[in-house]
Every structure is written in structure tokens, then in C-alpha cells.
Amino acid sequence: MSASSKDRKRSRPTDAPGADLLPLEPVLKKTKTVDHDNEVEHLAAHHRHFFHIEAPTEWDGTGPSIFLAGGISNCADWQSKLAEKFANDCPNLVLLNPRRKNFDVADHSESERQIKWEFNHLRKASAILFWFPSETLCPITLFELGQWSALAALSGKSLFVGCDPQYQRKMDVEIQLSLIAPSVRVVQSLDALAELVCSWYFDRFQGSSQTQCAIQ
């Protein structure tokens, strides 16, 4: 992140959402993860307030937020890479992560709980990020993208979409989106996806569009 971006964060307008919650000096980062029903709080130095909500933890819908839609099984943990980047570059952004540390898909009650959590938190989120990795087809994510591509114009919800260059249905995603939501740009890397989200976050919630996001 450039020095100018850091300076912008330290001089945030006091009327920005959550301004009274964010001191100018770095404080502890607060993230939330879930191990089945046991909620564990992790504290790490050098970050401002940051909330990472993992399913099935309920969130009250307060503050700017983004739902991380995409592969949650049989693929790399891309959500953690984005969470680390946003913790540094997007202070006070709530991440809604459906990927669980421990999830028994054979447990019908837990599967139902997961589906309902995703349904509810997709609606609570300020924006939805979709990432289609190369390892899996992500049929549920395709369904969600189709649904929210149609609903976004009515709800005002922002959409960010990315496909790995080797994703099997990349062309389908690009063509379908160009027809139903032509303003949504499909990018081909997590770096590019993170940059779009950071720009949206600073434009809408921090009053600046000049950011630098890169996934290491």
C-alpha cells in the first residue's frame, strides 16, 4: 500500500460511517472465526478495527460489509488471502465468509443451517464478491450470481466478479453478465478483484478512490 493511501486513512473525514470507532493510531485487529458452535476471537497487532464473520456466526448487519461468494470446498482457501488484504487496506469493512473451519456436509441439520446463513447474509451485505476458482465448478455460486445479477439493480447492491483464467465456465459467466448486468466487470485474478473492492469501499465509505490492493 502506498504512503499516500496510508495518509488518507489517517485523515479520514470525521463524518464517515464508523469514524467515531476508528482511532487514528493503529489498534488491535479483531476477527471472528467459528469452530462449529464455539466462537473464538483472534487478536493481532498493527491493524485497525476489522471484523471477519465466518458461518454460522450471525451478524447484525451494522456497517459496510461484503459477502465472499465462491468456492468453499475442493479449492484453495482464497477467502483467507482476501481477508488479510482487506484487514490492512479496508478498515471497518465487515467480511461475511461462508467458508467454515469445520463443516460436516453429511450432517443434514448443519447443511440446512449453512444454506440459511448464506441466504440471509447475502441479503444483509452491502456488496457481494464472487470468485470462481479453477479447481471446482461452483454450481451454487453460479446460481447465486444469476439471482443477484437480476436483483442488484433493484436492491442497489454492488457486485464484484472474478474468474480464474482456467475456470471451466468463464465464458458463460462473462457472456451472461454482459447481457443482464453489463456494468459488472469480470476480472481474472484475486489482485484485480481486491482492487475493485478497495476502490468501491473508499469511494462509498471513506471519500477516496485511490487505493492499492495486491494479494501476496
Side-chain angles (χ1 to χ4, degrees):
M1 184 175 216
S2 66
S4 60
S5 293
K6 292 180 180 178
D7 290 340
R8 277 191 297 274
K9 288 183 181 179
R10 292 179 180 276
S11 61
R12 298 173 56 243
T14 56
D15 60 346
D20 57 327
L21 300 177
L22 302 177
L24 294 180
E25 294 301 320
V27 297
L28 294 180
K29 177 185 76 174
K30 184 176 182 181
T31 68
K32 293 184 178 181
T33 60
V34 172
D35 181 359
H36 274 286
D37 294 326
N38 298 320
E39 183 174 313
V40 181
E41 288 190 346
H42 295 282
L43 297 178
H46 312 306
H47 293 298
R48 302 172 189 225
H49 289 83
F50 170 78
F51 296 92
H52 183 182
I53 310 299
E54 290 183 359
T57 300
E58 291 295 325
W59 177 61
D60 64 7
T62 302
S65 60
I66 190 162
F67 188 101
L68 304 182
I72 60 175
S73 60
N74 301 318
C75 63
D77 186 4
W78 56 271
Q79 293 91 344
S80 291
K81 293 181 180 180
L82 285 177
E84 182 178 355
K85 178 51 56 182
F86 293 147
N88 284 307
D89 296 345
C90 298
N92 211 35
L93 177 63
V94 177
L95 298 191
L96 303 173
N97 185 2
R99 191 170 197 145
R100 296 165 63 168
K101 301 298 182 185
N102 296 288
F103 180 34
D104 182 4
V105 294
D107 185 330
H108 178 78
S109 63
E110 281 302 305
S111 293
E112 182 178 357
R113 185 182 186 190
Q114 176 77 17
I115 292 169
K116 289 180 177 179
W117 185 92
E118 293 184 19
F119 179 89
N120 291 329
H121 288 79
L122 278 164
R123 282 152 180 77
K124 290 180 179 180
S126 307
I128 305 173
L129 176 155
F130 293 91
W131 174 247
F132 294 90
S134 60
E135 302 96 325
T136 181
L137 191 59
C138 302
I140 301 302
T141 307
L142 285 172
F143 170 79
E144 292 169 340
L145 177 60
Q147 179 186 43
W148 283 101
S149 296
L151 292 175
L154 299 175
S155 67
K157 199 180 296 290
S158 298
L159 303 182
F160 304 97
V161 182
C163 295
D164 184 278
Q166 301 304 312
Y167 176 63
Q168 298 176 56
R169 296 295 183 182
K170 176 175 174 290
M171 183 178 71
D172 298 74
V173 170
E174 292 174 335
I175 294 176
Q176 292 285 355
L177 274 176
S178 72
L179 295 173
I180 194 170
S183 64
V184 177
R185 174 187 169 197
V186 181
V187 298
Q188 299 186 41
S189 70
L190 285 174
D191 270 350
L193 203 54
E195 184 175 349
L196 289 177
V197 172
C198 286
S199 294
W200 161 81
Y201 174 77
F202 277 90
D203 280 343
R204 183 166 175 180
F205 300 105
Q206 302 292 314
S208 172
S209 61
Q210 299 178 14
T211 62
Q212 293 184 353
C213 293
I215 304 301
Q216 302 298 325

